[in-house]
Amino acid sequence: MSVAMLRYRWSLFFGTFLALLLGVAVLSGSLSLWAAAQPRVPDALAGAPIIVAAPRFDPPEGGFPTYRPWSDAELDRLTTALAAVPGIAAAVPDRPFYVQRLVDGAPVGDPRDSLHSGRTWAGAEAQHHALRAGAAPARDGDVVVDAALGVPVGATLPVVTAAGPATWTVTGTTDRPGFYVADATAAALSGGARFIALSLTPRADASDVAARLPAVLGELGGVLTGDARGAAEPERDRGTRWIGAQLIIATVFVGTFVAIFVVASTCAFAVSQRRRELALLRAVGATPGQVRRLLLGEALLVALAAGVPGALLGAALAPLLRGPFIATGLEPTGFEVGFTWWAPAVALAVGLVVAVLGVWLSARRAGKVPPLDALRVAAAEPRPMTLSRWLTGGALLLLGAGLAGLLPSSTAEQKPTLVLVSAMVLLVAAALLAPVIVVPVVRLVTWPARRGATGLLVREGARVSARRVAGTAAPVLAAVGFAVLLVGTYQTANEAVGIEDTAKIPELAVAARSDASPGLSEAATQAQPGRSELPSTVYLASGRPVDATGTKVDGLTAAPSLGWTAGDTVPLRFADGVVLPVPVAAVSSDLAEDSVQLPRDLVRTHDPAALTDVVHLAGDFVPSPGAERMTSRRYVEREAAEEGDLIQLFLTVLLGISVGYTALAVANTLLMATNARRPEFLTLSRAGATTGQTARVVVSEALLAVLVGSMLGLAVAVPALFEARAGLQDEIGAAVTLVMPWGTLAAVVGACGVLAAVAAALPLRRGTARPSPMV
């Protein structure tokens, strides 16, 4: 019977079909991207079946694991012991370092990839990378380069490294990207090694060799095989993947939430439109359980019909996003998207669950339709609110208010999550309680037009059809609420970042890295007159990493959170793996949590790969490769803009999903409502109303529903926005201006209004509501 009803009433299910098709496609594509965004083995180590990793530290609060570097003595001992293990042909430390080619004195190439584009040729040989021409690098200044660069063997190659500009001689070319140098050159330009690539003899079994290694390594390392070798991916690439994963997760979360929201509101309205039809079924003997099973069966059939093509569509379109994800910095170079069988399968299963959840409450209510409702003639809704809707809406209202009440006592890190979750709960509560709120709001809004014929019809029609108005207002409510909250919070946070960061940079001019460079070399930094800080990392005895800054101090200055006192001596492992006992000269609350300051020369000695971010000028700027002069304000804005571009992309995707679903729900609801009101329009025609007057009534009602939804969305989002601002003020300790996103609000409301007007008037223009003598 469900199949027959779908054929007969297909127009009622078209909106649900489209919502599920798009939702499953978004979910399938997002899961495919998420699967591809998992850590991958770096190309330079992909040929090694086994990788030995340095001792690992897992943060107790969660986050990325870190690997503290080996010292040269530890590394020599390990490589000697590993080379003696049966089945191992070579054990080569991985020593990536920063290098960029200079063209006309300026660095070229991807600045992100350049941080680890330098490698040892010994490592490349161990993984069977062959020379295309020339010879291997034998001494300092020799390099093997990618043949695609077009630099012939014997030519000189200007480059810049963390030490500064240099001129290398090309001794050979290969088919692999990167710059390959002698071991001594790599050791001088890189930090300490954290991974050792093992190549095996021809007949060796990787699993057998891996099983022997723990006894050899002891506490000095662990074994990585298979997909676990992705842990050797550079930390910055891992962080980039994490950013991309957050967008994917947010897309899945918001897309699923809005899909359930839209499907539920669409199904609820469709069931209310079919109330008389369902009453007829009850009158001819259908039980409440049969009616519920009918509606659930219809939903599952629609979900299958929409989910299968949606799942395949999303999986097919996901690879097209590879380029944009890399270009926007959401994924590192080398990101590839393939077909993952479980992604469309999970998306299809979620689509089925969303369909069932969306129709469940409506099906329960439909099963209770009295058979006598088949005789009902009046179009009024005597009971727009059911007991379950009252209870659910009230419970969510209390829950959202309770979460908002926790904000004053929460930490700065907890507040953004609490604000978002409480706002989402309150949005759902407002949608459930909308039929109650619609009548007083409609009376208030239509009060000035109550004496005109059109105003009176709109006013009274909305009053007696509160559920219809609420069905149109609910998706608008969600779109407006999301838009105001997300965009408003982002723009307000931007103001806060500007206030906080500018206060840290009192100088009028700075020398900063150019857009083509990841940082300033030591030569470029030393050439500038002014103050600079050299970022690095040191490791405690437990392996825990601590942010370190090399600056003009005489000894170690520590943050109070580390628990040290002046006069203590602490053993610190530096970036090159060397462990030194360092006395604590001072403890300062001005430092960031869990950070230290060290003499700059000490940091540079033990971290030859470190790059400086900015020099605060105290004199004239000296042109240097990779350096650019700018004002302090411009520097702050640029650094914030890099994060802002990613956040803006997040907002665009999330709002696109939200507004897209809203458009679908509004159009579907109004098309169904207008088609179902043919008898009402016939009565208006017989009473003397023209087609234009009828169209004005229908369009006015649609715009009224959009206005009501916008007002409810603002009622939830604006208080949440004030709470978000309060959290930012607590975090930075300064007043923050609340930014109301008027442009976004106008665009969302305007788009909803135009769409609602077109969807309401379209059936009239097509003639579906045109009176007919035979009606």
Side-chain angles (χ1 to χ4, degrees), residues 104-131:
D104 296 330
V108 296
D110 189 329
R112 295 174 296 176
D113 287 347
S114 67
L115 288 169
H116 45 80
S117 61
R119 300 275 178 174
T120 62
W121 178 250
E125 274 189 320
Q127 297 189 60
H128 310 294
H129 298 171
L131 283 168

Side-chain angles (χ1 to χ4, degrees), residues 173-545:
T173 60
T174 183
D175 290 328
R176 308 288 297 184
F179 300 84
Y180 301 93
V181 297
D183 289 352
T185 304
L189 294 174
S190 68
R194 294 171 174 82
F195 301 98
I196 300 173
L198 304 182
S199 59
L200 306 183
T201 56
R203 296 182 181 179
D205 181 82
S207 58
D208 290 341
V209 174
R212 300 190 193 103
L213 295 182
V216 177
L217 299 174
E219 296 182 354
L220 281 180
V223 181
L224 304 176
T225 59
D227 292 340
R229 296 175 302 156
E233 186 174 44
E235 290 184 8
R236 181 166 293 200
D237 284 359
R238 208 183 319 162
T240 301
R241 289 185 187 278
W242 181 85
I243 294 173
Q246 299 314 296
L247 174 61
I248 295 167
I249 292 170
T251 301
V252 170
F253 180 70
V254 174
T256 303
F257 173 80
V258 178
I260 293 175
F261 195 96
V262 169
V263 170
S265 63
T266 302
C267 289
F269 187 75
V271 169
S272 70
Q273 293 288 97
R274 300 169 63 187
R275 186 176 181 87
R276 189 173 183 185
E277 170 191 312
L278 297 174
L280 283 171
L281 289 175
R282 295 277 286 114
V284 298
T287 65
Q290 288 174 322
V291 172
R292 286 195 295 269
R293 286 193 293 273
L294 169 67
L295 294 176
L296 288 172
E298 291 171 351
L300 286 174
L301 287 173
V302 171
L304 278 173
V308 172
L312 296 176
L313 178 65
L317 293 179
L320 300 180
L321 295 176
R322 173 190 173 274
F325 264 63
I326 294 174
T328 54
L330 292 172
E331 293 295 341
T333 305
F335 174 63
E336 296 290 343
V337 183
F339 179 77
T340 306
W341 69 267
W342 59 263
V346 170
L348 177 59
V350 172
L352 295 175
V353 172
V354 167
V356 171
L357 290 177
V359 80
W360 178 253
L361 289 177
S362 301
R364 284 178 55 83
R365 186 170 64 250
K368 300 176 182 178
V369 174
L372 289 177
D373 271 16
L375 304 177
R376 183 171 62 90
V377 176
E381 296 170 350
R383 191 184 174 198
M385 288 291 293
T386 61
L387 178 61
S388 61
R389 189 160 183 159
W390 271 113
L391 293 176
T392 307
L396 290 176
L397 181 63
L398 292 176
L399 176 60
L403 290 172
L406 295 176
L407 285 168
S409 59
S410 61
T411 64
E413 292 79 13
Q414 295 170 338
K415 282 183 178 179
T417 302
L418 274 178
V419 167
L420 181 60
V421 173
S422 64
M424 292 178 70
V425 172
L426 289 173
L427 285 173
V428 177
L432 289 172
L433 299 175
V436 180
I437 308 170
V438 160
V439 174
V441 172
V442 165
R443 286 185 177 277
L444 176 65
V445 173
T446 59
W447 179 259
R450 67 190 184 282
R451 300 192 183 281
T454 300
L456 180 62
L457 285 172
V458 172
R459 178 185 175 91
E460 296 306 314
R463 185 181 66 80
V464 300
S465 301
R467 183 173 291 169
R468 184 183 73 224
V469 177
T472 305
V476 178
L477 181 159
V480 170
F482 268 119
V484 172
L485 181 60
L486 295 178
V487 178
T489 301
Y490 163 64
Q491 293 179 348
T492 302
N494 257 3
E495 288 291 315
V497 168
I499 292 170
E500 185 181 28
D501 288 352
T502 305
K504 295 178 181 177
I505 307 178
E507 286 83 358
L508 295 179
V510 299
R513 62 174 180 82
S514 66
D515 292 335
S517 172
L520 301 179
S521 68
E522 184 67 9
T525 302
Q526 295 299 330
Q528 308 300 329
R531 176 176 59 85
S532 66
E533 296 178 344
L534 186 65
S536 185
T537 303
V538 294
Y539 302 83
L540 307 184
S542 63
R544 174 186 170 191

Side-chain angles (χ1 to χ4, degrees), residues 15-26 302-303 305-311 313-314 661:
T16 304
F17 172 86
L18 199 54
L20 288 170
L21 174 72
L22 295 176
V24 171
V26 168
V302 171
V308 172
L313 178 65
Y661 272 118

Side-chain angles (χ1 to χ4, degrees), residues 134-151:
R139 58 183 182 275
D140 189 31
D142 290 352
V143 63
V144 171
V145 299
D146 185 2
L149 289 181
V151 182

Side-chain angles (χ1 to χ4, degrees), residues 19-71:
L20 288 170
L21 174 72
L22 295 176
V24 171
V26 168
L27 184 58
S28 176
S30 298
L31 291 176
S32 298
L33 290 169
W34 185 82
Q38 300 310 298
R40 60 186 293 272
V41 187
D43 290 339
L45 300 177
I50 302 174
I51 296 175
V52 173
R56 168 174 167 166
F57 176 81
D58 293 291
E61 66 277 7
F64 295 123
T66 57
Y67 298 86
R68 60 89 164 159
W70 290 297
S71 66

